[in-house]
Structure formats: structure tokens, C-alpha cells
């Protein structure tokens, strides 16, 4: 394993200076990042503004990934297992905050996974916070953007964590799921899918868009301009008492410098 230890997020920041991605974890490597802040990374025409985990195994511990940008997907982190490969990203006791993925092209723009984009890999988030990230743009033609906090196309497990105050304009303010999503003892709150076009609502799944298994978790105070304020998709629970509380957003909730290793 290649460790990259730091003294703490308040003491050490690895800064991309808004000119480059901060970390690129090369294929086949096993890397641990701990006790630091990854910030101001930018990828002006690609993915993974703060960190690109490129078919590798990465653990992020006691760290913050904040203020990074990607043109396409994964403003904070892109976990890339595409084309039949493997990638594992483990986030523990860390914060992914204030990252973005967005671009404005004619006639359509885009942006997906403002905080984290999991491309066919394994993503595990424990005792962590994903907050204040956004994906996409409100226009000027049509609202675009998917997965303000997280966009998942692989296997995502969230435990004892909070997904809050993320924003998107089309699908999945907090989480967009097109893979396998399991949430345990966690909170999904205050996320929004807020798109509008010609005075009509377009936002779907303020808290979660897609299928999810919830256990002992709370989904509350999320909003979507068109449908699925809390969850738009199907929900299952591993406990008899539905172990998840879903409350209304708007409208009411529905069940429908680059460093290389």
C-alpha cells in the first residue's frame, strides 16, 4: 500500500490551485489518504476534479475533499471501474463538501456526481458527510444534471453517514442510483432537485432517485420541483418497522498539480 498521511484537515491541504486535478491513483495501485484536505482541483474537459481513482483501491480516512470541479462527472471524486475493470473506494470519517460537476454546451449541457461518481466500482461510505455538492445547470435551455451528491452505477453502501444539502436540476439531489444502493443508520436530508423550464417543474428525486434498501435511516426535508421529494424509485427495508422515516419535501415524498501513484 502507498500511504499519503497528513497531520489533519485543518493543518495540511493539497491544493490543485484551480489548475489541475489533485490526485490520480493509477491502475492497480492500493493507496491510503488520511488526515488532509484535497481542494481546488479542476478538470476543465474531463472527470474527477479532486481525485481520480483509476481502476485502483483507495481509502480516504479522516480527510476532506472540498471545492473541486469537473467538467463531466465526479467533481470531488471519480471512482473509475469502467470497461470491465475494478475500482474500490472506501471513505471513512471524512467529508465531501462543496464540489461540482457541470458544463453548458449547446443545445444541452450536463454534469453528474457533483460530490462522487461511482462508475461500475465499489463505493463504501462510513461515518462521513457528503454535503453542499451540485451537478448540472439550470439552463438556459433545459435544466441538466444528475446526482448532486453522489451518482452510482456500481455498488454503493452508506453506513452511519449523512447526505445533506446537495443540489441537482434534473435527477437525484442527494443520490442518483442506477446500481445497487444500501443505506444503514444514516440520514438523507435537505437535498433538492430543483429544475424548471418555461415555468414548468423538471426536478425528480430530491433525496434519492432510484432503487434503495434502507435500514434504520431517515429521509427528510428533501425537495423536488416535479416528483419524488424524498425518494423517486422503489424502496425495500430489512427491518419489520420500515426502519426509515420519509417526510415530505416539495412536492410530498414519493416512492417512485496532479499527484499520481
Amino acid at each position: 500500500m502507498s500511504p499519503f498521511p497528513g497531520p489533519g484537515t485543518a493543518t495540511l491541504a493539497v491544493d490543485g490551485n484551480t489548475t489541475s486535478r489533485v490526485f490520480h491513483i493509477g491502475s492497480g495501485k492500493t493507496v491510503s489518504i488520511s488526515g488532509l484536505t484535497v481542494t481546488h482541483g479542476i478538470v476543465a474537459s474531463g472527470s474527477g476534479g479532486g481525485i481520480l481513482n483509476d481502476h485502483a483501491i483507495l481509502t480516504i480516512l479522516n480527510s476532506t475533499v472540498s471545492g473541486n470541479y469537473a467538467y463531466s462527472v465526479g467533481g470531488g471524486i471519480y471512482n473509475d471501474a469502467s470497461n470491465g475493470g475494478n475500482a474500490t473506494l472506501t471513505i471513512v470519517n471524512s467529508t465531501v463538501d462543496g464540489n461540482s460537476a457541470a458544463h453548458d454546451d449547446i443545445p444541452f449541457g450536463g454534469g453528474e456526481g457533483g460530490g462522487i461518481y461511482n462508475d461500475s466500482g465499489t463505493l463504501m461510505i462510513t461515518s462521513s458527510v457528503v454535503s453542499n455538492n451540485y451537478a448540472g445547470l439550470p439552463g438556459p435551455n433545459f435544466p441538466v444534471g444528475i446526482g448532486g451528491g453522489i451518482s452510482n452505477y456500481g455498488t454503493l453502501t452508506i453506513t452511519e453517514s449523512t447526505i445533506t444539502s446537495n443540489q441537482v436540476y434534473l435527477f437525484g439531489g442527494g443520490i442518483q442510483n442506477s446500481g445497487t444502493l444500501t443505506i444503514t443508520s444514516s440520514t438523507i436530508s435537505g437535498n433538492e432537485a430543483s429544475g424548471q423550464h418555461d415555468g414548468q417543474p423538471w426536478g425528480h428525486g430530491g433525496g434519492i432517485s432510484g432503487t434503495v434498501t434502507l435500514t434504520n435511516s431517515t429521509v427528510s426535508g428533501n425537495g423536488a420541483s416535479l416528483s419524488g421529494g424524498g425518494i423517486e424509485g422503489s424502496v425495500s427495508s430489512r427491518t419489520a418497522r420500515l426502519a426509515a422515516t420519509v417526510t415530505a419535501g416539495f412536492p410530498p415524498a414519493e416512492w417512485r498539480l496532479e499527484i499520481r501513484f
Side-chain angles (χ1 to χ4, degrees):
M1 175 181 289
S2 298
F4 196 95
T9 57
T11 303
L12 176 62
V14 184
D15 196 320
N17 199 32
T18 63
T19 59
S20 68
R21 178 187 295 121
V22 181
F23 286 108
H24 182 171
I25 313 302
S27 179
K29 300 295 179 63
T30 299
V31 174
S32 176
I33 295 173
S34 64
L36 54 80
T37 294
V38 177
T39 190
H40 297 151
I42 184 170
V43 177
S45 60
S47 303
I51 301 171
L52 169 58
N53 188 41
D54 184 2
H55 298 82
I57 299 173
L58 172 62
T59 300
I60 299 173
L61 176 65
N62 300 327
S63 295
T64 296
V65 179
S66 65
N68 302 284
Y69 164 81
Y71 173 92
S72 183
V73 304
I77 307 169
Y78 177 25
N79 190 43
D80 183 11
S82 60
N83 299 316
N86 296 293
T88 299
L89 172 62
T90 303
I91 300 173
V92 181
N93 196 34
S94 295
T95 299
V96 179
D97 179 83
N99 304 282
S100 60
H103 63 273
D104 187 13
D105 289 339
I106 298 174
F108 301 107
E112 187 168 357
I116 306 169
Y117 185 90
N118 184 33
D119 188 352
S120 307
T122 299
L123 171 58
M124 294 171 284
I125 300 173
T126 303
S127 302
S128 295
V129 177
V130 178
S131 58
N132 299 303
N133 305 283
Y134 76 89
L137 297 167
N141 297 310
F142 294 92
V144 293
I146 299 172
I150 304 168
S151 193
N152 176 54
Y153 292 87
T155 300
L156 169 56
T157 303
I158 299 172
T159 306
E160 297 180 351
S161 295
T162 299
I163 313 298
T164 187
S165 302
N166 301 284
Q167 185 175 18
V168 76
Y169 296 96
L170 201 52
F171 293 101
I175 303 169
Q176 185 284 136
N177 179 50
S178 294
T180 300
L181 171 60
T182 302
I183 300 175
T184 303
S185 302
S186 296
T187 298
I188 314 297
S189 67
N191 304 285
E192 293 186 3
S194 57
Q196 303 275 338
H197 177 64
D198 284 344
Q200 300 300 313
W202 278 55
H204 299 257
I208 300 169
S209 176
T211 300
V212 57
T213 298
L214 287 167
T215 304
N216 296 326
S217 295
T218 298
V219 180
S220 66
N222 304 282
S225 56
L226 180 58
S227 63
I231 299 173
E232 185 172 75
S234 61
V235 181
S236 62
S237 173
R238 291 177 177 171
T239 65
R241 59 185 183 86
L242 183 61
T245 302
V246 179
T247 61
F250 62 91
E254 297 181 8
W255 299 106
R256 332 192 297 169
L257 184 351
E258 180 173 307
I259 299 173
R260 292 176 177 263
F261 290 92

